Amino acid sequence: MAFTRNPATGERVPYGDFLTNAQGEDVVAGIRVTEPLDAMGSRFPECHVQLLENMKILENHYRDMCDIEFTIEQGKLYMLQTRVGKRTAAAALRMAAEMVEEGLIEPKEAVLRVQPAQLDQLLHPQFDPKASFEPIAKGLNASPGAAVGAVYFTADDAEEHAQAGEKVILVRPETSPDDLHGMIAAEGILTSRGGLVSHAAVVARGMGKPAICGAESIKIDLKAKQFKAGDVVVKEGDVISISGTTGQIALGEVPVITPEPTGHFAVVLGYADQFRRLKVRTNADTPEDSARARSFGAEGIGLCRTEHMFLGEDRVAIVRRMILADNEADEQAALDELEVLQRADFVGILEAMDGLPVTVRLLDPPLHEFLPDTEELAVKQATEGLSSEEEELLRAARSWEEVNPMLGTRGCRLGVIKPGLYKMQVRALMEAAVERKRAGGDPRVEIMIPLVVTGPELQLLTNWTRETAQAVIDESGVDVDYLVGTMIETPRAAIDAAAIGAVAEFFSFGTNDLTQMTFGFSRDDVEGRIMTPYLTQKLIPANPFETLDQAGVGELVRWACERGRGARENLKLGICGEHGGDPASVHFCHEVGLDYVSCSPFRVPLARLAAAHAALGAGGPGSTA
Amino acid sequence: MAFTRNPATGERVPYGDFLTNAQGEDVVAGIRVTEPLDAMGSRFPECHVQLLENMKILENHYRDMCDIEFTIEQGKLYMLQTRVGKRTAAAALRMAAEMVEEGLIEPKEAVLRVQPAQLDQLLHPQFDPKASFEPIAKGLNASPGAAVGAVYFTADDAEEHAQAGEKVILVRPETSPDDLHGMIAAEGILTSRGGLVSHAAVVARGMGKPAICGAESIKIDLKAKQFKAGDVVVKEGDVISISGTTGQIALGEVPVITPEPTGHFAVVLGYADQFRRLKVRTNADTPEDSARARSFGAEGIGLCRTEHMFLGEDRVAIVRRMILADNEADEQAALDELEVLQRADFVGILEAMDGLPVTVRLLDPPLHEFLPDTEELAVKQATEGLSSEEEELLRAARSWEEVNPMLGTRGCRLGVIKPGLYKMQVRALMEAAVERKRAGGDPRVEIMIPLVVTGPELQLLTNWTRETAQAVIDESGVDVDYLVGTMIETPRAAIDAAAIGAVAEFFSFGTNDLTQMTFGFSRDDVEGRIMTPYLTQKLIPANPFETLDQAGVGELVRWACERGRGARENLKLGICGEHGGDPASVHFCHEVGLDYVSCSPFRVPLARLAAAHAALGAGGPGSTA
């Protein structure tokens, strides 16, 4: 075998790297020792000259790194086979960039030579491919990257040990907003429950931190501070390695490599930007995430969730006061307090994304997410008893508890029955925009109303939004442009897109929820239990939460685009589900005519490249390349 | 005012009923005392003769009961106005039947003169329209009819007092299968939680028993055995009246009238049957319900749920053994026990529906419905402690607990991961059919696989079903025909109907779940909290669980019909959601070309009439008449 380039780094290797002294199976099996190609010069000088000649011909012909098989029999060189060689992401980028420089290929071809999915390798640490280890368990690969650290079972313990300089892995049955400080402190996160949109998975992806979720085979004993994986017992402080890219969990330290994106990375992505039609935005909820995504080339925020603006110990207390309020004045007082806090949140985000569109989604989750766990309180009630405040919280939690929260009183339904809530958010956002404008900034606000099902529903909320926004503009005397649109995330909204498109200025496809409702799949419930048997028995073609299901969900997206644009020609169309960072799905988004895709910050480069591939007609929508 | 017929009974009243001695507002306000029309004969003999003449002309012209306004001024009769008069259901039926007899109208017109929705009046007791009372609260009108009884708060208490001869109303926060004996004993059911598909609502409708659900304004205190409605405290044993037709709750006894369907009822429905194209089946789970529905004219079972075959104290114990089994032998042993019990259930149903198709839906709900409540056990664990069996049950309940059970591991997903379950059901059903055939019966079995999302998924389960059925046929030497089909209840199944129709021999639209997923509405959660504000603010045109949402869910049904029939020309199409008993929805089902509708036994007559109206082109799909 011989290469014209080093397949690991992409460096040119003018005299080749390897020479076999055997043939066939022996070579493939790797049981014979190879020699450098140079050695051939002394042993078979004529054949060596001829081979180098042939290699030049082949590289010029294929204009690519080739993998060549040849043999020498009775002093005669036989070329057996050649094909374009496999390569790492780094090698692919380097070769593509250099070959353009050398005039060997056009930028277009350079772009097509790098597979979008490969870029993940460059943006996250990975287990060293040469390392050998025996996984003790496997979970869902919820957030890519690899991490090594000592196991801790509470956020407080994880934070404490991290502050003492130890690298830690936070292990929890599942995480909640209360665990946030532990997640920030940890190198990686491992949970035994929850799917790819569980709290742990979503937060970890946003942070670009490795996570494995729903590792149902590990049995966590929080009291004993240990977990079992088969017969292996892992105690607090024991070191494990996790790969959120593969879902593998190993005991002890697995060597990790951290590839550094090189200049070639920027060059090739720059080429990609010349060809793509789709804009690439990011899903970001904080100024830090926004800035990071922008550095990766994000052209705005496609989804700024506002949930976190209601969380954190201090804020939850205010939110609870709002929920428990038995009169309007108390409710409004709590909302006013929140408004001040959220305005500052918005200012930070608008500043980080100055000059680029920022789509802010009004509050989406059901209210009970801000209330304590009823079972915990019920147990406390039966044992120690509850304070009168806790009694009140338990009552509220019970009254807001839902059988199927995903299909319950959340999103704009909450907006309709608690009008003060959305008005407060719109006020805080518009005041932030005014503040930015006064500071010389260029805020571009898009207000997104979630979970809409009919035109009149969106109309009511749009009216409230516009009245509130106009009031801020009038009071401040500062004019701020803004759009009001909606998320298309219920099948009904997609079907009735003509009525909804007549009201909305933009649609953003929330393909996570749209997939959940179209399949009737609650990710938290089905990803752990049925996804594997369904995939192995080929009952579904792919995990529809990773790659957009074109025969089902895709049909709804297609209809919604057609019907929506039928009602409003210049309707802005985007996607903010996680599919925005999946190459095959990006291809589909290009094909149906969306204006942009939006994905987590770390997937922005991948989406830029995938968008270019789609525009260049490479790979089909069914391709997962 | 004068009528040519008595608007309450439909009886011919040759000399009219009323004579006004006043005009205009006074008449309408009802403040003047009226006199019988006869009295006019002595006071205005000429006008009287002329009026009777005019009345005959009008009735012959309109061929219907007319409501006439006239006046006499200075000895001269003036006819002021006439219109077709309003009437009760009983009157409408009588007039329609009699006018056909008299040759005044054709059967077709007779059918069109009775509004399907009116028939509910005839099949259930109602509050006397003349009664005056002040409702103390209102809930969802979950099952039509009126009932009066003493309030009891547990199923045991209700049963005990009913057995002692007292009429009782069972009042519960919500009901579960454990309350069944109390529901059977009660005249009516009132719950403070749950929507129109809550356990209480569905069971009550099946029983034809009045029920009000989700009456959130009443505060039930189970310990004190009382509920509060505003300031009114209702204690155990106090008498209340409930109307499941209107949702009204009143303290004390409201007079109730129980209309008796007359011969006219049968005559007019007989006419209806001549015109309709749609077959009318029923949703029935027991031999009793099947027989009752058949007496109302049901032409088969469109939905036989099998959940109840897993319930009841003795069976739940077996089901739990199956769930807890840690080896295949124990699991199979439990399944074998269930099979024997379920075979007998099926025999009874097939016997009651002999000669008519019976669509049996394989198990649909998630397994945790057969496990105890985790919170209750957790509290017990923290206080008294648990037995080792209870500990095991708590672990199982926790492991099967789901965040959104509606979108979780239920229906055919359970079938896929627990293959023994569906095979057991198919065996029990086919063995029952063999037994019926041996007894000289004519069982017509249709096996329905619920919650399908893709073609390959249905193919796998259809293969298992056919193998199991064939084995029963081979073993017994008795040949039994059967169909295998699926419920279309996820949006994805509707969209991908071409692939699914290539496998299924029939589709039955499960429009309850289809509506829940298309809107993202969990009925248990949204009907109590958001349906009212949404309806009053006109954000949705109607409650989509009562009248099929044609712009959204209806589009999916339409597509599925087209695509399904495209894949299989003779695909049998039906609907088994509750919309099968709603007149406007029945019209839609006719229009899209379904073969049958299926509804609860008490709605069968209504559906027969609505199907005839649809075939005769009366009322639009948007009409709620």
Side-chain angles (χ1 to χ4, degrees), chain A residues 146-163:
Chain A
V148 178
V151 163
Y152 290 96
F153 293 92
T154 70
D156 289 345
D157 288 346
E159 192 184 39
E160 189 191 321
H161 286 265
Q163 281 168 350

Side-chain angles (χ1 to χ4, degrees), chain A residues 95-350:
Chain A
M95 282 188 268
E98 284 185 359
M99 286 184 183
V100 173
E101 248 171 69
E102 292 163 13
L104 211 56
I105 58 174
E106 294 294 315
K108 178 174 156 177
E109 201 162 350
V111 166
L112 292 174
R113 285 210 179 153
V114 184
Q115 290 310 312
Q118 282 189 301
L119 295 188
D120 254 355
Q121 290 175 17
L122 291 180
L123 294 163
H124 303 283
Q126 305 290 343
F127 281 170
D128 186 336
K130 295 187 207 111
S132 83
F133 60 94
E134 196 62 50
I136 56 170
K138 211 166 170 294
L140 299 168
N141 44 346
S143 178
V148 178
V151 163
Y152 290 96
F153 293 92
T154 70
D156 289 345
D157 288 346
E159 192 184 39
E160 189 191 321
H161 286 265
Q163 281 168 350
E166 198 173 1
K167 296 202 168 197
V168 309
I169 305 279
L170 177 64
V171 180
R172 298 281 306 159
E174 56 201 333
T175 64
S176 77
D178 295 338
D179 297 317
L180 211 61
H181 59 293
M183 299 173 77
I184 292 169
E187 302 295 309
I189 295 130
L190 167 60
T191 72
S192 58
R193 285 208 293 262
L196 295 178
V197 277
S198 62
H199 178 266
V202 171
V203 171
R205 277 196 298 275
M207 293 177 174
K209 199 161 273 197
I212 296 176
C213 294
E216 301 209 343
S217 67
I218 71 166
K219 305 294 166 204
I220 300 178
D221 184 338
L222 289 177
K223 272 192 198 151
K225 297 198 172 182
Q226 63 178 39
F227 74 81
K228 274 191 190 173
D231 296 334
V232 180
V233 178
V234 179
K235 294 205 163 71
E236 184 183 63
D238 289 354
V239 170
I240 64 169
S241 303
I242 62 171
S243 167
T245 307
T246 62
Q248 290 170 311
I249 304 157
L251 193 62
E253 184 173 343
V254 174
V256 164
I257 52 171
T258 308
E260 275 298 310
T262 61
H264 304 120
F265 180 88
V267 169
V268 175
L269 283 169
Y271 293 148
D273 291 344
Q274 298 170 15
F275 297 109
R276 66 187 163 91
R277 183 189 58 70
L278 280 171
K279 295 262 180 199
V280 177
R281 297 195 193 178
T282 192
N283 300 347
D285 314 338
T286 62
E288 298 71 37
D289 277 357
S290 308
R292 182 186 294 132
R294 199 163 184 171
S295 79
F296 285 142
E299 296 162 294
I301 293 183
L303 174 62
C304 171
R305 299 180 186 88
T306 53
E307 289 84 291
H308 73 104
M309 301 182 185
F310 292 82
L311 291 170
E313 227 166 290
D314 50 333
R315 298 193 183 185
V316 161
I318 309 174
V319 173
R320 288 179 179 173
R321 255 191 284 132
M322 176 197 81
I323 298 174
L324 297 179
D326 54 8
N327 64 71
E328 261 182 57
D330 286 358
E331 184 178 304
Q332 194 54 51
L335 285 170
D336 290 345
E337 268 187 77
L338 284 170
E339 187 187 320
V340 175
L341 296 168
Q342 300 201 356
R343 189 191 306 149
D345 296 335
F346 285 126
V347 167
I349 293 166
L350 291 175

Side-chain angles (χ1 to χ4, degrees), chain A residues 193 374-375 378-379 382-383 398-409 412-413 416-417 451 453-457 460 464 490-493 495-496 516-522 524-526 529-530 533-534 537-541 549 551-553 555-556 559 563, chain B residues 374-375 378-379 382-383 398-409 412-413 416-417 451 453-457 460-461 464 490-493 495-496 516-522 524-526 529-530 533-534 537-541 549 551-553 555-556 559 563:
Chain A
R193 285 208 293 262
T374 53
E375 183 175 315
V379 168
T383 49
R398 278 206 205 288
S399 105
W400 283 100
E401 209 170 25
E402 298 192 293
V403 182
N404 297 288
M406 146 103 30
L407 311 178
T409 307
C412 70
R413 297 164 195 174
V416 169
I417 65 170
L451 211 72
V453 291
T454 72
E457 181 189 36
L460 175 76
W464 289 355
T490 64
R492 196 185 188 290
I495 298 166
D496 204 13
Q516 298 198 81
M517 293 183 203
T518 303
F519 278 81
F521 276 180
S522 162
D524 279 330
D525 300 312
V526 305
R529 192 165 266 148
I530 77 154
Y534 267 56
Q537 291 178 85
K538 296 197 172 28
L539 307 188
I540 44 177
D549 161 54
V553 179
E555 283 281 82
L556 289 175
W559 287 327
R563 292 170 180 206
Chain B
T374 53
E375 184 175 313
V379 168
T383 50
R398 279 208 205 287
S399 105
W400 283 100
E401 210 171 24
E402 297 191 294
V403 181
N404 299 287
M406 148 100 31
L407 310 178
T409 306
C412 70
R413 296 165 197 174
V416 169
I417 65 169
L451 210 70
V453 292
T454 72
E457 181 189 37
L460 176 76
L461 292 164
W464 290 355
T490 63
R492 196 184 188 290
I495 298 166
D496 203 14
Q516 299 197 78
M517 293 183 203
T518 303
F519 278 82
F521 275 0
S522 162
D524 280 329
D525 300 312
V526 305
R529 192 164 267 147
I530 77 155
Y534 267 57
Q537 291 177 86
K538 296 198 173 30
L539 307 188
I540 45 177
D549 160 54
V553 179
E555 283 281 83
L556 288 176
W559 287 326
R563 291 169 180 207

Side-chain angles (χ1 to χ4, degrees), chain B residues 38-302:
Chain B
D38 271 354
M40 190 177 162
S42 52
R43 289 171 58 185
F44 306 99
E46 269 175 54
C47 290
H48 185 230
V49 171
Q50 208 183 334
L51 178 65
L52 294 183
E53 192 68 23
N54 289 349
M55 283 169 75
K56 204 178 289 171
I57 294 168
L58 287 168
E59 179 166 322
N60 283 331
H61 177 77
Y62 286 105
R63 291 166 306 120
D64 206 344
M65 176 188 86
C66 294
D67 152 3
I68 298 158
E69 284 179 30
F70 64 89
T71 192
I72 296 169
E73 212 176 280
Q74 299 182 323
K76 191 167 159 59
L77 175 72
Y78 293 88
M79 302 301 294
L80 297 176
Q81 185 175 312
T82 186
R83 63 193 159 210
V84 169
K86 290 200 172 157
R87 63 205 70 183
T88 64
L93 284 167
R94 179 183 188 137
M95 282 189 267
E98 284 185 358
M99 285 186 183
V100 173
E101 249 172 68
E102 291 163 11
L104 210 57
I105 59 174
E106 294 294 315
K108 180 174 154 175
E109 200 162 351
V111 167
L112 292 174
R113 286 214 178 150
V114 185
Q115 288 311 313
Q118 282 190 299
L119 294 188
D120 253 356
Q121 288 176 17
L122 291 180
L123 294 163
H124 303 282
Q126 304 290 345
F127 281 170
D128 187 335
K130 296 187 207 111
S132 82
F133 61 93
E134 195 62 51
I136 55 170
K138 211 167 171 289
L140 299 169
N141 44 348
S143 178
V148 178
V151 162
Y152 290 96
F153 293 91
T154 70
D156 289 346
D157 289 345
E159 191 184 39
E160 189 191 322
H161 286 265
Q163 280 169 350
E166 198 174 359
K167 296 202 167 196
V168 309
I169 305 279
L170 177 63
V171 180
R172 299 280 304 157
E174 57 200 330
T175 64
S176 78
D178 295 339
D179 297 316
L180 210 61
H181 58 294
M183 298 173 77
I184 291 169
E187 302 295 309
I189 295 131
L190 167 61
T191 71
S192 58
R193 284 209 292 262
L196 294 177
V197 278
S198 63
H199 178 266
V202 171
V203 171
R205 278 196 298 273
M207 291 177 175
K209 199 161 275 195
I212 296 176
C213 295
E216 300 209 343
S217 66
I218 71 166
K219 303 295 166 203
I220 300 177
D221 184 338
L222 289 176
K223 271 194 199 151
K225 295 198 171 184
Q226 63 177 41
F227 74 81
K228 273 192 190 171
D231 295 335
V232 181
V233 178
V234 180
K235 294 206 164 68
E236 183 184 62
D238 289 352
V239 170
I240 63 168
S241 303
I242 63 170
S243 167
T245 306
T246 62
Q248 289 169 313
I249 304 158
L251 194 59
E253 183 172 346
V254 174
V256 163
I257 52 171
T258 308
E260 276 298 310
T262 60
H264 303 120
F265 179 88
V267 168
V268 174
L269 283 170
Y271 293 148
D273 291 344
Q274 297 169 17
F275 297 108
R276 66 187 162 92
R277 183 188 58 69
L278 279 172
K279 295 263 179 196
V280 177
R281 297 195 192 178
T282 191
N283 300 348
D285 313 339
T286 63
E288 298 71 40
D289 278 357
S290 307
R292 180 185 297 133
R294 200 166 181 167
S295 79
F296 284 142
E299 299 162 293
I301 293 183

